[in-house]
Amino acid sequence: MHIANGMYGLILVEPPEGLPKVDREYYVMQGDFYTTGKYREKGHQPFDMNKAIDENPTYVLFNGMEGSMTGDKALKAKTGEKVRLFVGNGGPNLVSSFHVIGEIFDKVWYEGGTKFQENVQTTLIPAGGAAMMDFHMEVPGSYVLVDHSIFRAFNKGALAILQAEGKERKDIYSGKEVDAVYLGDQAAGTNRAPVAAAAASAQAGNLTKDEQIAAGKVVFAGTCSTCHGADGKGMEGVFPPLANSDYIKANPKRVPEIILHGLVGPVKVNGKDYNSNMPPMSQLTDDEVANISTYVLNSWGNPGGQVSKADAAKARAAKPSNASDGH
């Protein structure tokens, strides 16, 4: 249980002559965490032994916290520099498929040993193991560190950013990137002030619809946009569109219900058939659900309206017949 609660770390033992020189060195430690609450559920979360035995973590994290190396805390480098990562995996259960999106490792010293492999894209790091990798930065941009068992990155937290600055190399890479696709509301430059402003107004009893829309836009980016898109258009045949949705227009009260309880089974949206499983986002607070719902209703040609905290609480208490039990 001590490992499951994060009691682990790395010790580096260098050879007498030292390691080859690099420009920057960083420490990254992966671990899987098992809580009684759902992913991103608010409040103190005790350890869940049954989840641990089933090897079904709520979180898979780098350096013990979601967002530990994103935004203002992102790792830094410059083009032309050589970077070394010391990456450990505390487990207690999962093997890491460690990868840096946009990079090839020049050398990987696997399993913490003295032998290395060259030109590696993704390397396995066992629970209780470690690896060391060197690579060089050719173009500027946000390089995404992930466990490439990829749902661990985007749905459980195993994601970090290495931000490289320098002169562009259009002969290698166009430079076009959208960090929000990976990071949502944790992307660099995201302004979370509207969320704080809405919370303060709600506390004072004078929350406006415009404040809800502004706050809902931020929370939507971190919760919903990966599937439904920042523009609400979704993906045809896979993720239903929220933009100009006849399904929403037919019953706007569906919005908070679907956020909280998910949706499973066939539906038709804007003339297209969908039959998938949207998991419930019940870890969101009633305020967050109300703000997201109000944002969706007032965006992309939808009918408008306002959802209150009380409306969200009512939707939480009434589970519809087509609710999802999750993945």
Side-chain angles (χ1 to χ4, degrees), residues 301-318:
N302 286 326
Q306 187 171 9
V307 176
S308 68
K309 179 179 180 180
D311 294 331
K314 184 178 179 181
R316 189 184 298 273

Side-chain angles (χ1 to χ4, degrees), residues 141-164:
S142 297
Y143 294 82
V144 188
L145 285 62
V146 296
D147 180 337
H148 216 298
S149 297
I150 205 68
F151 282 93
R152 298 177 188 172
F154 301 131
N155 299 86
K156 298 197 174 190
L159 184 151
I161 291 290
L162 172 60
Q163 186 69 47

Side-chain angles (χ1 to χ4, degrees), residues 8-76:
Y8 46 77
L10 287 177
I11 297 175
L12 172 63
V13 180
E14 295 197 21
E17 70 277 11
L19 294 170
K21 297 293 184 182
V22 294
D23 298 292
R24 298 177 190 260
E25 294 181 327
Y26 290 111
Y27 169 104
V28 179
M29 175 61 79
Q30 180 170 323
D32 29 293
F33 295 85
Y34 304 81
T35 64
T36 55
K38 294 182 178 181
Y39 174 63
R40 288 186 172 177
E41 188 169 327
K42 306 299 186 293
H44 176 73
Q45 298 297 329
F47 174 70
D48 190 318
M49 178 62 85
N50 287 329
K51 282 186 179 179
I53 292 171
D54 292 339
E55 301 185 8
N56 181 24
T58 318
Y59 294 87
V60 183
L61 302 175
F62 292 142
N63 292 358
M65 184 178 76
E66 187 175 18
S68 64
M69 294 174 283
T70 64
D72 293 339
K73 296 173 286 187
L75 307 181
K76 304 295 184 182

Side-chain angles (χ1 to χ4, degrees), residues 150-185:
I150 205 68
F151 282 93
R152 298 177 188 172
F154 301 131
N155 299 86
K156 298 197 174 190
L159 184 151
I161 291 290
L162 172 60
Q163 186 69 47
E165 298 180 348
K167 186 177 180 180
E168 291 188 346
R169 289 283 307 277
K170 294 294 181 69
D171 57 318
I172 298 176
Y173 179 59
S174 69
K176 296 178 180 179
E177 58 180 284
V178 183
D179 290 352
V181 171
Y182 301 107
L183 297 176
D185 61 343

